[in-house]
Amino acid sequence: MKKNSGRPGEFEIIKTYFSPLSRRHPGAFGLTDDVAVLAPPAGHDVVLKTDAIVEGIHFNRSDPPDTVAKKALRANISDFAAKGATPSVYLLALALPDWPDGQWLEQFAKGLAEDQAEFDVTLAGGDTNRTPGALTVAVTMIGFVPQGTVVRRSGAKLGEVVFVTGTIGDAGAGLALLKRQADACGAAEEDLISRYRVPRPRLAFGRRLRGVATAALDVSDGLIADLGHVAEVSHVRIEVDAVRVPLSEALVELRGRDISAIAEAATAGDDYEIAFCAPASCRPLIERIADETNTPVTEVGRATAGEGVALVDAQGHEIKLERCGYTHF
Amino acid sequence: MKKNSGRPGEFEIIKTYFSPLSRRHPGAFGLTDDVAVLAPPAGHDVVLKTDAIVEGIHFNRSDPPDTVAKKALRANISDFAAKGATPSVYLLALALPDWPDGQWLEQFAKGLAEDQAEFDVTLAGGDTNRTPGALTVAVTMIGFVPQGTVVRRSGAKLGEVVFVTGTIGDAGAGLALLKRQADACGAAEEDLISRYRVPRPRLAFGRRLRGVATAALDVSDGLIADLGHVAEVSHVRIEVDAVRVPLSEALVELRGRDISAIAEAATAGDDYEIAFCAPASCRPLIERIADETNTPVTEVGRATAGEGVALVDAQGHEIKLERCGYTHF
C-alpha cells in the first residue's frame, strides 16, 4: 500500500521521527496507544486551539522543512500567547503526499524538536495519513490558564488604549519577496522572509497580560482586520494612528514609510504579534512588562464610541483601505 | 481572495454553518475568540485524540456530506469508546478545495449536528482553510476519564481471553462494493456500505469496560493488525480462532464463511469495533454489560506466551495471511 518507495511506512514514520518527540510526556504513552492522557493542574482551565497550514497556501514545498514544522506549531502557540495561556502538549495530524522523503521528515521532526525545547511543549499524539493532494499540517495545542483568567477578545472598553507588540507587515513583505513581487537583498531580505516563515510568539509577554489587558488577540490576518474582530465583539470602534504603526528597519528600507507602505503593512498577514487593549492607567505597568520580557510594545490607537476599525492620519481622518487584511482562504 | 464564487468566504462559513454547532458550550465563545476554554471536572484526566480523514483515502467526493462529517467525528469517538473515556468537545480543522459548495457545507454541518446530539459532544473551535488539494477533515476530540482509569493497550496478561464487539469485515466489504470490486444488492449492500461510511462507536459499552478490560483498542486497521498492537505492548501472543470471528449475515451472504472470507474480514479496515482482553473470570460480567448496553460481544481468542498475533484454525494451526490489516497510508 506504500506509494513512495523512498519513504518508510506509517508506523516506521511514527516510530522513527515522532515517538522520540513524545518521550517527555508519560500520558503520550510513546505514541503507542489510541489516545493521550493529561492530568490538568488544579485550579486551571484547559485551553484548546487548532490551526492547520497547507502547502501552496501557508507555505511552499521549497520551504525548509524545519520552518514548516515551526510555523505549524507557532501559529498555535501565538494564540496561547495572546490569551495569557501556557501551551503544554500538542497533537499532530499530518496529511502526506508522495513527495516528502525521509530526509524531509527528518528535518521536519528536527524543527518540532527545536520548538519543543524553545516553548516547553511536547508531542502527545497524532495521526499520519497519505493524501493525493497538498501536504497539510494540522496542529492542535492543549494547555492551561489559571481558572477564569483567559484574556478574551470581548473586554475592550470606551476610552482604553490599543497596543501592539513588535513590528507589523514584515511577514507580508517576506511573502512578497518569496513571490518575487518585491525585491530586496542581504540581511533585510533574510529578516523579512524569516518573519514570514517562522513566527515569533510573544509567550512570556502574553502571560503577563492576564489581569492587565481587557482584550487581546494575535495578529495573523492583518492588524486592521484583527482589531476589527476585537471591535466587533467588544462593541467599540478602534482607531489606529497610521503614523504610530511600528515598522521594522528592514521594511522601511524596502518600502519606505509613506501612507501606502503603512496601509500595506497594517493589512498584511502572518505577523503573529499581540494586539491588545488596556486602560490608559496601565501604561506604566505595560512598559515595565515590556522591559522585563524584552518585548517591544507600541501604543497605536484607542477604543472609541461606534463600531468598526479605522486607520487614521495625523488629522484624524480615516484612510481608505483597499482591503482590511490578508485572507488565507 | 475567494476562489469559489458559489461559496461564502471563511468568516461566513464559520458564522453560517459552524457557530450554531458551538452554542451549547460557553467556552467555545461562539467561535469568535482565538481559543476555546474548558473547565475539567474534578478528579478526571483529560483525554486527547486527533484523527483526520482525507478525500480519496478515507472517503470519496461522491459520499453524502453528512456521512463524511459523521465518519470524521466517529473515528475519534470510537477511540474514546475503546478507552472507557467520555468525549466532550471537538475542534475541526477543515482544508477545503474549491468544489464543496454551500449545499455540501450545509449537509456536512447537518451531519455534525446529528452526531452532536447522538454522542453529546459540542464543537468548541476550528480552523477553515483553502487547499489546492484533497478535502481534509481533521477532528481533535477532547474528553475526560476518571483519574487513572483509562483502558490502555498494554495491560493484557497471559491466559486472558480476547473479545470483540459487533461484527468484523463489514466496512471492508462496503468499501469493496463502492469500488465495484464486489457485487451485492438490496439491503445487504446498503448495510455494508453504511458500515463503511458511518462507523458506530460503542461508547456505552466501552465506558463499562473500565476496571474490567485489561487492554482494549478500537479496530480500525483490521482485527488482526490491531490485536498485534495489543500483543506488542502487552508482551503476549494473541491467538484468534478463525471460526469465532463474528461475521454479519450480510457479509456471509456476500462472501460465504470459509477460511478465506474470514481471513479477509479479519484483516479489513474501518470496523470501529472494540477488541479487548480480560481475565476469563470476567466472562459473566462482560455478558451482563453486553446485555445491558445492547452490544453484541464475542469471545474470539486468548493471550498466550510468545509474541505477535495469529489467526488459527480449528486444529490450532496458524493460517497464513497475505496481509495483517488495511493501511490507509
Short mmCIF file of all heavy atoms in Angstrom, two decimals, chain B residues 224-249:
data_model
loop_
_atom_site.label_atom_id
_atom_site.label_comp_id
_atom_site.label_asym_id
_atom_site.label_seq_id
_atom_site.Cartn_x
_atom_site.Cartn_y
_atom_site.Cartn_z
N ILE B 224 -6.80 -8.34 13.09
CA ILE B 224 -5.51 -8.99 13.34
C ILE B 224 -4.41 -7.94 13.55
O ILE B 224 -3.62 -8.02 14.50
CB ILE B 224 -5.15 -9.94 12.17
CG1 ILE B 224 -6.21 -11.04 12.04
CG2 ILE B 224 -3.76 -10.54 12.35
CD1 ILE B 224 -6.37 -11.93 13.26
N ALA B 225 -4.39 -6.94 12.66
CA ALA B 225 -3.37 -5.90 12.79
C ALA B 225 -3.49 -5.17 14.12
O ALA B 225 -2.49 -4.93 14.82
CB ALA B 225 -3.48 -4.90 11.64
N ASP B 226 -4.70 -4.83 14.51
CA ASP B 226 -4.87 -4.05 15.74
C ASP B 226 -4.58 -4.89 16.98
O ASP B 226 -3.95 -4.40 17.93
CB ASP B 226 -6.26 -3.41 15.77
CG ASP B 226 -6.34 -2.19 14.85
OD1 ASP B 226 -5.36 -1.43 14.81
OD2 ASP B 226 -7.37 -2.00 14.19
N LEU B 227 -5.00 -6.16 16.98
CA LEU B 227 -4.63 -7.01 18.12
C LEU B 227 -3.11 -7.18 18.18
O LEU B 227 -2.54 -7.39 19.26
CB LEU B 227 -5.34 -8.36 18.04
CG LEU B 227 -6.81 -8.32 18.46
CD1 LEU B 227 -7.49 -9.67 18.20
CD2 LEU B 227 -6.97 -7.93 19.93
N GLY B 228 -2.45 -7.06 17.05
CA GLY B 228 -0.99 -7.08 17.03
C GLY B 228 -0.39 -5.96 17.86
O GLY B 228 0.64 -6.12 18.52
N HIS B 229 -1.07 -4.78 17.85
CA HIS B 229 -0.58 -3.66 18.68
C HIS B 229 -0.71 -4.00 20.16
O HIS B 229 0.16 -3.67 20.96
CB HIS B 229 -1.36 -2.39 18.37
CG HIS B 229 -1.27 -1.94 16.96
ND1 HIS B 229 -0.09 -1.93 16.25
CD2 HIS B 229 -2.23 -1.50 16.10
CE1 HIS B 229 -0.32 -1.47 15.02
NE2 HIS B 229 -1.61 -1.21 14.91
N VAL B 230 -1.82 -4.63 20.52
CA VAL B 230 -2.02 -5.03 21.92
C VAL B 230 -0.95 -6.05 22.31
O VAL B 230 -0.31 -5.93 23.38
CB VAL B 230 -3.43 -5.64 22.14
CG1 VAL B 230 -3.54 -6.25 23.53
CG2 VAL B 230 -4.50 -4.58 21.92
N ALA B 231 -0.74 -7.04 21.45
CA ALA B 231 0.26 -8.08 21.73
C ALA B 231 1.63 -7.46 21.95
O ALA B 231 2.35 -7.81 22.90
CB ALA B 231 0.30 -9.09 20.58
N GLU B 232 1.97 -6.49 21.09
CA GLU B 232 3.30 -5.89 21.15
C GLU B 232 3.53 -5.16 22.47
O GLU B 232 4.53 -5.40 23.14
CB GLU B 232 3.49 -4.92 19.97
CG GLU B 232 4.93 -4.41 19.89
CD GLU B 232 5.15 -3.45 18.72
OE1 GLU B 232 4.26 -3.33 17.85
OE2 GLU B 232 6.22 -2.82 18.69
N VAL B 233 2.60 -4.30 22.86
CA VAL B 233 2.85 -3.51 24.06
C VAL B 233 2.50 -4.25 25.34
O VAL B 233 2.96 -3.89 26.43
CB VAL B 233 2.16 -2.11 24.02
CG1 VAL B 233 2.78 -1.26 22.92
CG2 VAL B 233 0.66 -2.22 23.85
N SER B 234 1.69 -5.34 25.23
CA SER B 234 1.38 -6.15 26.42
C SER B 234 2.35 -7.31 26.58
O SER B 234 2.29 -8.04 27.59
CB SER B 234 -0.05 -6.70 26.32
OG SER B 234 -1.02 -5.69 26.48
N HIS B 235 3.22 -7.50 25.62
CA HIS B 235 4.21 -8.59 25.66
C HIS B 235 3.55 -9.96 25.81
O HIS B 235 3.92 -10.76 26.66
CB HIS B 235 5.24 -8.36 26.79
CG HIS B 235 5.86 -7.00 26.72
ND1 HIS B 235 6.73 -6.63 25.73
CD2 HIS B 235 5.70 -5.90 27.50
CE1 HIS B 235 7.09 -5.37 25.90
NE2 HIS B 235 6.48 -4.91 26.97
N VAL B 236 2.56 -10.20 24.99
CA VAL B 236 1.92 -11.52 24.91
C VAL B 236 1.75 -11.88 23.44
O VAL B 236 2.02 -11.06 22.54
CB VAL B 236 0.51 -11.51 25.58
CG1 VAL B 236 0.61 -11.29 27.07
CG2 VAL B 236 -0.41 -10.48 24.93
N ARG B 237 1.35 -13.13 23.21
CA ARG B 237 0.94 -13.55 21.88
C ARG B 237 -0.58 -13.66 21.91
O ARG B 237 -1.16 -14.09 22.91
CB ARG B 237 1.57 -14.91 21.56
CG ARG B 237 1.04 -15.59 20.31
CD ARG B 237 1.77 -16.92 20.10
NE ARG B 237 1.18 -17.72 19.04
CZ ARG B 237 1.46 -17.56 17.75
NH1 ARG B 237 2.31 -16.59 17.36
NH2 ARG B 237 0.89 -18.34 16.84
N ILE B 238 -1.22 -13.21 20.84
CA ILE B 238 -2.67 -13.32 20.80
C ILE B 238 -3.08 -14.29 19.69
O ILE B 238 -2.62 -14.16 18.55
CB ILE B 238 -3.34 -11.94 20.63
CG1 ILE B 238 -3.18 -11.14 21.94
CG2 ILE B 238 -4.82 -12.08 20.27
CD1 ILE B 238 -3.77 -9.76 21.91
N GLU B 239 -3.87 -15.28 20.06
CA GLU B 239 -4.41 -16.20 19.07
C GLU B 239 -5.90 -15.94 18.90
O GLU B 239 -6.65 -15.86 19.88
CB GLU B 239 -4.20 -17.64 19.52
CG GLU B 239 -2.73 -18.06 19.46
CD GLU B 239 -2.53 -19.52 19.83
OE1 GLU B 239 -3.50 -20.17 20.27
OE2 GLU B 239 -1.39 -19.99 19.67
N VAL B 240 -6.31 -15.81 17.64
CA VAL B 240 -7.72 -15.58 17.31
C VAL B 240 -8.23 -16.82 16.59
O VAL B 240 -7.64 -17.25 15.59
CB VAL B 240 -7.89 -14.33 16.42
CG1 VAL B 240 -9.33 -14.18 15.96
CG2 VAL B 240 -7.40 -13.09 17.14
N ASP B 241 -9.31 -17.41 17.10
CA ASP B 241 -9.90 -18.58 16.45
C ASP B 241 -10.72 -18.13 15.24
O ASP B 241 -11.72 -17.42 15.40
CB ASP B 241 -10.80 -19.32 17.44
CG ASP B 241 -10.01 -19.86 18.62
OD1 ASP B 241 -8.88 -20.34 18.40
OD2 ASP B 241 -10.52 -19.77 19.77
N ALA B 242 -10.29 -18.58 14.09
CA ALA B 242 -10.94 -18.14 12.85
C ALA B 242 -12.44 -18.37 12.91
O ALA B 242 -13.24 -17.49 12.55
CB ALA B 242 -10.34 -18.86 11.64
N VAL B 243 -12.82 -19.52 13.40
CA VAL B 243 -14.23 -19.89 13.36
C VAL B 243 -15.08 -19.00 14.27
O VAL B 243 -16.30 -18.93 14.11
CB VAL B 243 -14.37 -21.39 13.74
CG1 VAL B 243 -13.99 -21.61 15.20
CG2 VAL B 243 -15.75 -21.92 13.45
N ARG B 244 -14.45 -18.32 15.22
CA ARG B 244 -15.22 -17.48 16.14
C ARG B 244 -15.30 -16.01 15.71
O ARG B 244 -16.00 -15.22 16.37
CB ARG B 244 -14.61 -17.55 17.53
CG ARG B 244 -14.65 -18.97 18.09
CD ARG B 244 -13.70 -19.10 19.24
NE ARG B 244 -14.39 -19.14 20.51
CZ ARG B 244 -13.78 -19.30 21.69
NH1 ARG B 244 -12.45 -19.42 21.74
NH2 ARG B 244 -14.45 -19.34 22.79
N VAL B 245 -14.59 -15.66 14.65
CA VAL B 245 -14.64 -14.25 14.21
C VAL B 245 -16.08 -13.93 13.79
O VAL B 245 -16.64 -14.58 12.91
CB VAL B 245 -13.67 -14.01 13.02
CG1 VAL B 245 -13.87 -12.61 12.43
CG2 VAL B 245 -12.23 -14.19 13.47
N PRO B 246 -16.70 -12.93 14.44
CA PRO B 246 -18.12 -12.67 14.19
C PRO B 246 -18.35 -11.99 12.84
O PRO B 246 -17.83 -10.90 12.59
CB PRO B 246 -18.52 -11.76 15.35
CG PRO B 246 -17.25 -11.10 15.77
CD PRO B 246 -16.13 -12.03 15.47
N LEU B 247 -19.13 -12.66 11.98
CA LEU B 247 -19.44 -12.11 10.67
C LEU B 247 -20.94 -11.80 10.60
O LEU B 247 -21.76 -12.54 11.13
CB LEU B 247 -19.09 -13.11 9.57
CG LEU B 247 -17.65 -13.64 9.54
CD1 LEU B 247 -17.46 -14.56 8.33
CD2 LEU B 247 -16.64 -12.49 9.50
N SER B 248 -21.29 -10.72 9.92
CA SER B 248 -22.71 -10.36 9.79
C SER B 248 -23.37 -11.24 8.73
O SER B 248 -22.70 -11.80 7.86
CB SER B 248 -22.84 -8.90 9.40
OG SER B 248 -22.40 -8.73 8.07
N GLU B 249 -24.69 -11.31 8.82
CA GLU B 249 -25.43 -12.05 7.79
C GLU B 249 -25.18 -11.46 6.41
O GLU B 249 -25.03 -12.19 5.43
CB GLU B 249 -26.93 -11.99 8.08
CG GLU B 249 -27.37 -12.97 9.15
CD GLU B 249 -28.87 -12.87 9.42
OE1 GLU B 249 -29.64 -12.60 8.48
OE2 GLU B 249 -29.26 -13.06 10.59
#
